[in-house]
């Protein structure tokens, strides 16, 4: 059966770059700017992005605005405005890029703006050919809604506060949360099921990168994004005997609460689930209140680690061990309840620094069967 792929869009760095190019071109005298065309670099192709507004603020500064279009994705940045303020000065064609209002701050990296390497490269390589001799630029990227939108993300768990990140390694926004993407994931799983009877489900890019570093064969890795429940059912249907779930604890923790579509637009409950399992393991009420009031599940984990350091206890091991084994059990029950079939499921959870937190009993056996050192 032929499957029409969902429509892709572009990542935030692309719209930031388009706004910056429009601002610079306006400073150079182009007044009728409805769109700009430039190279995505990753992939190396030319695209055209619509410009909503552009205005000169003074003879050496201009501001342009684009709007995010991420394609067929459940993406909270859809239609958000991206501003670029470009200020020119005399110099040796240097380009300084900084984050303004709504661009996140990296708390673990000296407070630098969360404008990562692809975004930096995209801006530098597309703006530099447009510079006049002896012209240098200061480019400030602004997301007016960034601070508000960031409260609905897990950015803080990864050390980014006060706004959104210009993140990613490509200009294409893959529609991982669109229903059509699930069908593509299923087709990929069907192909792999002809070669392997054990597979590793990775929720995101961190898992796909970390698993091979542990010695896991990259050929058995399957990206699921947030479609964990449907992908488990598909694995059982295709005759897979065993699945290892490998992912960030802030995602997989939801499975311990019976949530099998993990996109934050649809369900959350991470702090509540962590608090419930801490209570089950006997943690005292004042500590439960601290975990429940944590801003993120990552902060809840850090609180438990600090508590272990102060008391010499092993709350992290006990609580996360219980959650990991429950994740296995609930996943197996989910598959049986929806298919009357059996699928062995194990899991491994890691934190924002990609350090392993916990392996379930089944997860440990899975690694041993692969002859991977836990």
């Amino acid at each position: 059966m032929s499957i029409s792929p969902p429509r892709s869009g572009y990542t935030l760095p692309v719209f930031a770059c388009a706004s910056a190019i429009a601002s610079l071109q306006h400073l150079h005298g182009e007044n009728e700017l409805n769109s700009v065309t430039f190279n995505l670099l990753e992939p190396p192709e030319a695209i055209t992005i619509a410009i909503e507004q552009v205005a000169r603020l003074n003879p050496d500064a201009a501001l342009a605005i684009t709007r995010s279009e991420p394609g067929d994705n459940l993406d909270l940045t859809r239609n958000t405005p991206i501003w670029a303020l470009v200020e020119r000065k005399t110099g040796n064609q240097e380009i300084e890029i900084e984050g303004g209002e709504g661009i996140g701050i990296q708390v673990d990296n000296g407070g630098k703006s969360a404008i990562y390497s692809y975004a930096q490269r995209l801006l530098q390589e597309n703006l530099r050919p447009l510079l006049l001799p002896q012209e240098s630029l200061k480019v400030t990227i602004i997301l007016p809604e960034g601070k508000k939108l960031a409260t609905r993300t897990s950015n803080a768990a990864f050390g980014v506060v006060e706004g959104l990140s210009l993140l990613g390694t490509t200009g294409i926004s893959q529609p991982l949360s669109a229903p059509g993407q699930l069908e593509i994931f299923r087709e990929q799983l069907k192909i792999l099921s002809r070669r392997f009877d054990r597979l590793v489900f990775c929720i995101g890019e961190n898992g796909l990168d970390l698993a091979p570093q542990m010695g896991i064969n990259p050929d058995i890795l399957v990206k699921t994004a947030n479609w964990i429940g449907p992908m488990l059912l598909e694995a059982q249907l295709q005759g897979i005997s065993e699945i290892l779930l490998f992912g960030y604890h802030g995602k997989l923790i939801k499975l311990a609460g019976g949530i099998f579509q993990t996109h934050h637009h649809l369900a959350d409950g991470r702090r509540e689930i962590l608090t419930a399992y801490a209570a089950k393991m006997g943690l005292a009420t004042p500590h439960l209140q601290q975990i429940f009031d944590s801003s993120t599940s990552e902060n809840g984990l850090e609180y438990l680690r600090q508590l272990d350091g102060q008391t010499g206890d092993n709350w992290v091991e006990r609580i996360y061990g219980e959650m990991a084994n429950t994740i296995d059990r609930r996943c197996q029950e989910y598959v049986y309840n929806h298919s009357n079939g059996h699928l062995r499921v194990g899991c491994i959870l890691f934190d924002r620094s990609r350090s392993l937190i916990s392996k379930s009993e089944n997860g440990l056996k899975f690694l041993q069967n692969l002859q991977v050192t836990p």
Side-chain angles (χ1 to χ4, degrees), residues 11-12 14 21 76 125 151 157 179 181 188 229 244 271 301 319 336-337:
T11 56
L12 284 179
V14 172
I21 291 171
L76 56 80
E125 295 193 20
T151 63
Q181 186 64 44
Q188 293 169 346
L244 177 68
R271 292 174 304 161
L301 169 62
I319 293 168
Y336 182 78
N337 290 338

Side-chain angles (χ1 to χ4, degrees), residues 155-176:
N155 280 8
F158 291 91
V160 176
V161 298
E162 301 296 322
L164 298 176
S165 303
L166 295 190
L167 186 62
T169 58
T170 175
I172 303 297
S173 175
Q174 298 292 347
L176 300 180

Side-chain angles (χ1 to χ4, degrees), residues 45-64:
E45 62 183 49
I47 62 160
T48 300
I49 298 294
I51 303 301
E52 182 170 295
Q53 293 177 319
V54 60
R56 186 187 295 264
L57 305 182
N58 62 52
D60 292 310
L63 177 74

Side-chain angles (χ1 to χ4, degrees), residues 32-99:
E32 299 297 328
L33 275 170
N34 297 315
S35 65
V36 295
T37 300
F38 57 98
N39 192 336
L40 276 184
L41 305 182
E42 300 292 342
E45 62 183 49
I47 62 160
T48 300
I49 298 294
I51 303 301
E52 182 170 295
Q53 293 177 319
V54 60
R56 186 187 295 264
L57 305 182
N58 62 52
D60 292 310
L63 177 74
I65 302 172
T66 56
R67 286 193 181 264
S68 171
E69 174 44 71
D72 291 337
N73 239 325
L74 291 174
D75 192 313
L76 56 80
T77 68
R78 181 180 307 281
N79 207 41
T80 195
I82 300 98
W83 299 5
L85 170 63
V86 172
E87 301 168 276
R88 61 180 178 179
K89 56 188 177 181
T90 301
N92 192 28
Q93 295 194 315
E94 296 97 351
I95 301 174
E96 176 188 357
I97 300 167
E98 66 176 36

Side-chain angles (χ1 to χ4, degrees), residues 101-371:
E101 177 75 17
I103 295 291
I105 297 169
Q106 302 176 64
V107 295
D108 297 330
N109 192 21
K112 291 183 179 179
S113 296
I115 302 176
Y116 294 95
S117 57
Y118 171 69
Q120 293 275 354
R121 181 175 160 230
L122 187 68
L123 285 157
Q124 292 278 354
E125 295 193 20
N126 280 289
L127 289 172
R128 194 169 303 283
L130 304 178
L131 291 176
L132 302 175
Q134 308 303 312
E135 182 180 50
S136 289
L137 302 179
K138 178 182 178 182
V139 179
T140 305
I141 306 300
I142 301 164
L143 297 176
E145 299 175 344
K147 192 171 183 178
K148 178 179 69 175
L149 293 175
T151 63
R152 298 164 56 192
T153 74
S154 57
N155 280 8
F158 291 91
V160 176
V161 298
E162 301 296 322
L164 298 176
S165 303
L166 295 190
L167 186 62
T169 58
T170 175
I172 303 297
S173 175
Q174 298 292 347
L176 300 180
S177 56
Q181 186 64 44
L182 172 59
E183 298 307 315
I184 293 175
F185 287 156
R186 281 174 165 158
E187 288 298 311
Q188 293 169 346
L189 194 155
K190 289 177 184 178
I191 293 170
L192 286 177
S193 70
R194 299 167 192 159
R195 300 173 55 201
F196 306 103
D197 66 351
R198 293 188 182 97
L199 295 173
V200 178
F201 280 2
C202 297
I203 314 306
E205 296 296 331
N206 281 318
L208 289 173
D209 182 58
L210 183 58
Q213 295 179 31
M214 293 178 56
I216 296 175
N217 179 4
D219 290 342
I220 67 171
L221 304 182
V222 180
K223 188 171 183 178
T224 66
N226 293 294
W227 305 100
I228 300 174
M231 289 293 283
L232 287 171
L233 293 175
E234 188 66 39
Q236 192 280 327
L237 182 64
Q238 297 303 322
I240 299 296
S241 64
E242 194 170 5
I243 291 291
L244 177 68
L245 300 173
F246 190 74
Y248 176 59
H249 74 110
K251 283 288 188 182
L252 291 184
I253 195 175
K254 296 181 183 182
L255 301 177
I259 299 169
F260 288 90
Q261 214 297 358
T262 59
H263 199 287
H264 64 271
H265 279 297
L266 302 177
D268 200 338
R270 289 168 289 183
R271 292 174 304 161
E272 292 84 350
I273 293 168
L274 179 56
T275 304
Y277 278 87
K280 180 181 180 181
M281 301 310 295
L283 191 64
T285 298
H287 300 306
L288 296 176
Q289 292 170 333
Q290 289 289 331
I291 294 171
F292 188 83
D293 290 336
S294 297
S295 58
T296 65
S297 55
E298 187 76 23
N299 288 344
L301 169 62
E302 287 306 311
Y303 180 82
L304 289 173
R305 283 173 166 163
Q306 292 171 13
L307 184 62
D308 283 350
Q310 294 166 3
T311 64
D313 291 323
N314 60 344
W315 289 110
V316 171
E317 179 182 344
R318 291 170 59 194
I319 293 168
Y320 274 85
E322 179 68 17
M323 283 196 295
N325 288 324
T326 302
I327 288 169
D328 293 358
R329 187 180 72 252
R330 297 201 75 157
C331 286
Q332 291 169 168
E333 290 172 351
Y334 178 89
V335 171
Y336 182 78
N337 290 338
H338 288 81
S339 70
N340 288 323
H342 296 279
L343 177 69
R344 180 184 291 274
V345 178
C347 68
I348 297 177
L349 290 73
F350 55 80
D351 63 14
R352 78 176 187 193
S353 65
R354 307 204 301 183
S355 297
L356 300 188
I357 306 170
S358 184
K359 310 177 193 71
S360 69
E361 293 175 5
N362 284 350
L364 189 58
K365 291 176 184 176
F366 188 102
L367 294 179
Q368 291 169 343
N369 289 337
L370 293 179
Q371 297 183 330

